[in-house]
Amino acid sequence: MPTVRCGPGQACFKSACRFDTEFDEAIELLPLPVDAVVTHVFPLPDARAASDIVHDRTVASKVLMDLTQA
């Protein structure tokens, strides 16, 4: 993957994945309710807090960004 240099005030994303219909199938395959897997949901303005918590596996499983609140 090519690297991107970011300057002050710019956001850099190392990678991004886009899924469409796979989410519905994946949720159906879960042996438990999706609420049991998703531990945190953050609105876009709280992206920094989401990034901080996603690295703490003692409290986070799946961390989602809610783009509907942007």
Side-chain angles (χ1 to χ4, degrees), residues 6-46:
C6 292
Q10 294 179 332
C12 291
F13 295 95
K14 293 182 181 180
S15 67
C17 297
R18 182 176 172 195
F19 298 97
D20 185 17
T21 59
E22 297 87 354
F23 280 121
D24 293 334
E25 183 179 352
I27 289 170
E28 288 177 15
L29 293 172
L30 286 174
L32 58 155
V34 71
D35 292 345
V37 178
V38 176
T39 56
H40 298 79
V41 179
F42 290 89
L44 188 56
D46 294 340

